Amino acid sequence: MTLDPEDSKIITLARAARARNEAAEGAAVRDETGRTYSATNVALSSLRLSAVQVAAAMAISSGARSLEAVALVTAGEPDPADEAVAAELGVKALLVAGPDGTLRS
């Protein structure tokens, strides 16, 4: 499967965030204006957020009205809540890649 260069970019951003923070998940989103936001999951005893939730929250709190794309890099499977966040913000399919960047879905 050949990816759009902009989709490849957000997978790369998600991988970099995950590696930089040594996190279980990395995510990146692209909003309707082309701005990108990357994040990792938050796993505190008092707060648990997926990487997709953090990246989407960053975009929305910066004024984004919708998202064009969402990428998740994880060794596991995406949480249904991540797919729901992406869908609510207008994304038809969550891009899911393994830690090596290989697209899985």
Side-chain angles (χ1 to χ4, degrees), residues 35-52:
R35 292 179 296 188
T36 58
Y37 305 85
S38 61
T40 61
N41 60 299
V42 174
L44 302 173
S45 59
S46 60
L47 178 64
R48 289 207 170 294
L49 297 170
S50 74
V52 169

Side-chain angles (χ1 to χ4, degrees), residues 1-11 30 69 95:
M1 174 182 198
T2 303
L3 275 179
D4 175 277
E6 291 299 313
D7 290 344
S8 292
K9 176 183 170 183
I10 64 170
I11 289 172
R30 184 175 62 249
L95 299 170

Side-chain angles (χ1 to χ4, degrees), residues 38-85:
S38 61
T40 61
N41 60 299
V42 174
L44 302 173
S45 59
S46 60
L47 178 64
R48 289 207 170 294
L49 297 170
S50 74
V52 169
Q53 290 170 332
V54 176
M58 290 170 59
I60 297 303
S61 68
S62 295
R65 303 269 185 238
S66 65
L67 298 178
E68 291 181 348
V70 177
L72 171 65
V73 174
T74 181
E77 295 299 318
D79 188 295
D82 291 340
E83 293 171 337
V85 167

